[in-house]
């Protein structure tokens, strides 16, 4: 059975070559990706209960504690994400925690317009009290 991250990785690599999307902070790193939901196979979308449509995208976030072996260790967090448009409209993205083995993901889906540039404000709090905020932008396309 494929894991969510494996499926997403192959989906991304089959569509385009993207630079690694991560940010490091205080001995942790946050990995993030935004894709059109059609990039995910229908059975995976159904399994993780998000709408698969050419007019929707999803965000996938994971937080790792950096380790000496360079692989990192998944850590749980309280994670909030807000999408902002060029016009200043805001949408709170409802994130769900997904656990697969040792992996932990926070995913949520939302409506999009074609060729829209969106900004994502991510705020998280780790169990050790570490707090982190990060903003990134992403252009999305309808399919």
């Amino acid at each position: 059975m494929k894991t969510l991250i494996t499926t997403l990785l192959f989906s991304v690599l089959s569509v385009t070559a993207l630079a690694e999307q991560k940010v490091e902070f205080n001995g942790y790193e946050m990995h993030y990706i935004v894709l059109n939901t059609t990039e995910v196979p229908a059975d995976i979308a159904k399994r993780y209960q998000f709408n698969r449509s050419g007019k929707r995208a999803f965000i996938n976030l994971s937080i790792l504690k950096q380790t000496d072996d360079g692989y990192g260790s998944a850590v749980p967090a309280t994670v909030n994400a807000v999408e902002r448009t060029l016009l200043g409209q805001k949408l709170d993205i409802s994130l769900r925690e997904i656990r697969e083995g040792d992996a932990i993901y926070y995913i949520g889906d939302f409506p999009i317009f074609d060729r829209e540039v969106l900004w994502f404000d991510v705020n998280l709090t780790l169990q050790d009290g570490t707090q982190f905020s990060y903003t990134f932008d992403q252009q999305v396309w309808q399919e």
Side-chain angles (χ1 to χ4, degrees):
M1 178 183 290
K2 293 182 180 179
T3 64
L4 177 63
I5 194 70
T6 302
T7 301
L8 294 177
L9 176 62
F10 286 125
S11 295
V12 171
L13 292 177
S14 68
V15 174
T16 183
L18 295 176
E20 183 174 28
Q21 293 181 293
K22 77 172 183 177
V23 60
E24 297 181 9
F25 64 98
N26 301 337
Y28 296 92
E29 52 192 54
M30 181 181 75
H31 294 255
Y32 58 95
I33 189 165
V34 174
L35 291 172
N36 190 294
T37 58
T38 59
E39 298 297 325
V40 178
D43 61 326
I44 300 297
K46 182 178 178 182
R47 180 180 185 191
Y48 293 103
Q49 302 171 355
F50 61 87
N51 298 316
R52 190 170 180 267
S53 164
K55 296 181 180 182
R56 294 190 72 80
F58 78 97
I59 186 170
N60 180 347
L61 305 162
S62 62
I63 299 92
L64 303 176
K65 183 172 180 62
Q66 294 173 327
T67 57
D68 291 337
D69 63 10
Y71 290 106
S73 170
V75 294
T78 301
V79 184
N80 297 300
V82 175
E83 167 205 316
R84 289 184 291 120
T85 68
L86 181 61
L87 298 175
Q89 297 168 315
K90 293 182 179 182
L91 173 69
D92 289 326
I93 301 171
S94 177
L95 298 173
R96 293 179 306 287
E97 182 180 270
I98 306 291
R99 291 184 181 236
E100 289 187 339
D102 294 333
I104 304 171
Y105 312 101
Y106 298 90
I107 64 170
D109 62 307
F110 49 91
I112 58 170
F113 292 101
D114 199 25
R115 299 180 186 201
E116 181 176 37
V117 175
L118 300 172
W119 285 263
F120 298 90
D121 301 319
V122 178
N123 296 292
L124 60 91
T125 303
L126 302 175
Q127 290 181 337
D128 68 4
T130 299
Q131 295 184 337
F132 181 69
S133 296
Y134 185 69
T135 297
F136 66 94
D137 64 285
Q138 177 77 44
Q139 185 170 18
V140 293
W141 288 269
Q142 289 183 343
E143 294 185 12

